[in-house]
Amino acid sequence: MNTAYPYTLEPQEGGGYVVQLVDFEEGFTEGSTEEEAAFNAAEVLSLVIEQRLADGRAIPLPSPGEGRSVAYPQARVQVALLLRKTREEQGRTLAEMARALQTSWPSAQRLEQATANPTLKQLERAAAALGKRLSITLD
């Protein structure tokens, strides 16, 4: 699953830029430079997804970039998002995930929270329970 979310970058009359995340109406920020705006876009994206995960709200798949700049959420947010989206795509419940991991429902639920700090071993087990393989890349 792709976690690159596009955003618009609008120069302001007095200097600086306004950023709007395309897929999240509540996702906006600004920056004095394009680099600062890009950094802030990633920060806001992480916060928006983290809050939606905590609230159990829907998280849209990223829109096509179509030449726009993209932001990636922080790694801990990506992990929670990827586990939740994969589980949901497979039509599995948290209870089914917990059984596959041979753990408790709260432990399985924590894996889908951006505030969790799972070990690589836990992530490998969760991926295997979903019929996937853990793959880490650096961009």
Side-chain angles (χ1 to χ4, degrees):
M1 183 184 116
N2 177 20
T3 59
Y5 284 87
Y7 62 88
T8 60
L9 190 64
E10 187 177 318
Q12 295 301 289
E13 205 172 287
Y17 299 86
V18 171
V19 174
Q20 175 66 54
L21 297 172
V22 172
D23 299 303
F24 300 96
E25 65 181 28
E26 71 271 36
F28 56 91
T29 187
E30 61 184 2
S32 300
T33 64
E34 286 187 35
E35 293 79 21
E36 183 180 316
F39 178 85
N40 291 344
E43 289 290 308
V44 167
L45 176 62
S46 295
L47 292 170
V48 167
I49 292 174
E50 182 176 349
Q51 189 61 55
R52 284 186 176 215
L53 284 167
D55 294 344
R57 293 177 53 207
I59 300 169
L61 294 173
S63 296
E66 298 175 349
R68 291 182 282 219
S69 299
V70 295
Y72 292 88
Q74 295 170 351
R76 64 184 175 78
V77 176
Q78 285 187 50
V79 165
L81 175 61
L82 290 169
L83 288 174
R84 176 175 159 184
K85 284 290 191 185
T86 302
R87 179 183 58 76
E88 288 176 345
E89 285 171 0
Q90 293 179 359
R92 298 176 78 175
T93 66
L94 274 171
E96 291 169 330
M97 182 72 169
R99 280 191 293 279
L101 289 169
Q102 297 178 343
T103 191
S104 66
W105 185 89
S107 292
Q109 182 187 38
R110 269 193 298 279
L111 290 172
E112 295 182 9
Q113 295 173 350
T115 55
N117 197 14
T119 65
L120 286 175
K121 185 175 181 176
Q122 288 172 314
L123 292 176
E124 287 175 327
R125 287 186 64 225
L130 293 166
K132 303 287 183 180
R133 183 177 52 86
L134 180 64
S135 173
I136 299 172
T137 62
L138 298 175
D139 291 328

